Each structure stands twice: as C-alpha cells, then as structure tokens.
Amino acid sequence: TYVEFHRLHSPHTEHPLDITDEGDDGNENEVKEAEKHHIKQTVKHVLSKEQQMYYERVTDAIKSSNQALHHRILHSLANDPGLHQLLPYLVQFIADEVIHNLKELRLLLSLMRMADALITSRHLTIEPYLHQLMPPIMTCLVGRHLCKYAYENHWALRDYTARLIKTVCNRFGKTYPDLQPRVTRQLLNAFIDPTKPLTTHYGAIVGLAVMGDEVVEVTLL
C-alpha cells in the first residue's frame, strides 16, 4: 500500500508539502503510468544529451544489482554540484519506482539510498520536491508488504528509512514547522490502528523511536 500526505505550508517559502493517508487505487495507478511516460518524454525534450545520458546511467544503476556501481552513483548524486536541472526528474523516478515496485525489496532499499543522497547533498535545493519524496519514503517505513517473501529482511529497509525520516525532519523542520508533528501523528495513527499488520506497527514504532525520547514518552509510553 502506498502512503500519501496532506498539504503542509511553510511560513518561509511558497512550496507546500503534502503528507497523506494510505491510498491504493487502480485508476490512480493508470494515471501515474501516464505521468511516468510523460516524464520520460520530457527528459528527452528538456535536458541536454549529456544530462539525458547521466539520468539514464543513474536510473539503470539504481535498478541494477551491481553494488560497486550503486556506490559510485550514490556518491555522485550526493556530491555533484551540477544536478539542479535533473533533480525534479530524479525525484519523480524515486516516486514512480516505489509505487510500482512495492514488493521489490532490493530496489526499494536502493531508492531510499538514492533519496538519502539527494536529501543530504550540500549542492541541491530539495525543499521544493519534498512533497514528492515524503510519500515514497513513508511507504518504505510503514508499507504493509515491502518484499515478495516472508524471509526477506524488510525490517532493515524500515530501520534505514526511519533514520532517513529523522534526517528530513532535522534538516527541514525549521522550513516546515509542522513537518515532524504531522509525521509523528501519522506514525502514531498507524501504530494504534488494530487493523494494521505487524509490519506497519513495527515501522511506526521505529519511526517514532528515532524522533527522540520526548516523542517516545508522549506517544508510546
């Protein structure tokens, strides 16, 4: 199940941030497929040849199982100062791939690492795109099923994503003062909902735990 978000507003910028409830709709998936195709076409028309090649190299690497290639690409994403024009397409790639690969554990972890690299880059202004990044990130924390087989270690993905959410709240909490409260409320609702599975409850607990002792005391104790 894909997690979405309600709109947040920053007192300092004009960029809204969306944080929602879970949604799973066939028509919506069809729309997203059309959007995905549109993004690919836009990449070809808007970006230079070199930028197109870099975009394809990044997306192919993230989908591959070559760990050495992963590390090189993630290092490039986190440190390359010339990715501003590519940023909206890279963010859209993460959102599209998560929603269409909810049981592909290896790919989901690669996508969260990619999101981490973009968020922690000193060279990129990620705030205008947080409303697109938060849904896939939250999905990888509290999604019902994030792997094909029960023996796969989806718990590690949830642990990693919880730390990523803490990074997001720490870095952008001043820009969006209601970011952490909204995230906390969503995680708490997931935790106390008896209809949610253990996997979702676990993600909610680790997500709340990384927010600090005060949040844990207020929400869980």
Side-chain angles (χ1 to χ4, degrees), residues 37-156:
H37 177 73
H38 176 68
I39 287 294
K40 288 183 178 179
Q41 295 304 312
T42 304
V43 167
K44 292 181 180 179
H45 287 95
V46 175
L47 300 179
S48 69
K49 186 74 172 180
E50 286 187 356
Q51 289 172 327
Q52 290 178 38
M53 291 175 62
Y54 182 84
Y55 174 84
E56 291 173 3
R57 192 160 75 247
V58 169
T59 55
D60 288 346
I62 294 299
K63 292 179 179 180
S64 80
S65 57
N66 186 326
Q67 291 301 310
L69 184 57
H70 275 196
H71 290 309
R72 288 199 298 273
I73 286 296
L74 293 175
H75 182 269
S76 176
L77 290 173
N79 295 282
D80 193 325
L83 300 181
H84 300 284
Q85 282 186 280
L86 276 169
L87 186 55
Y89 306 106
L90 296 173
V91 169
Q92 187 63 49
F93 169 76
I94 293 172
D96 287 339
E97 291 301 315
V98 168
I99 199 171
H100 292 106
N101 296 279
L102 288 175
K103 294 187 178 181
E104 298 293 338
L105 180 60
R106 184 196 58 77
L107 178 57
L108 293 176
L109 184 55
S110 295
L111 291 165
M112 290 302 97
R113 287 173 173 160
M114 180 180 175
D116 197 348
L118 296 177
I119 288 167
T120 56
S121 171
R122 294 175 299 165
H123 306 290
L124 297 175
T125 303
I126 199 73
E127 287 96 327
Y129 308 102
L130 277 179
H131 68 285
Q132 291 173 270
L133 274 178
M134 286 305 293
I137 291 173
M138 288 292 287
T139 296
C140 287
L141 178 62
V142 297
R144 184 180 297 268
H145 301 296
L146 299 176
C147 58
K148 290 181 180 177
Y149 308 106
Y151 61 79
E152 292 184 277
N153 189 14
H154 60 91
W155 312 106

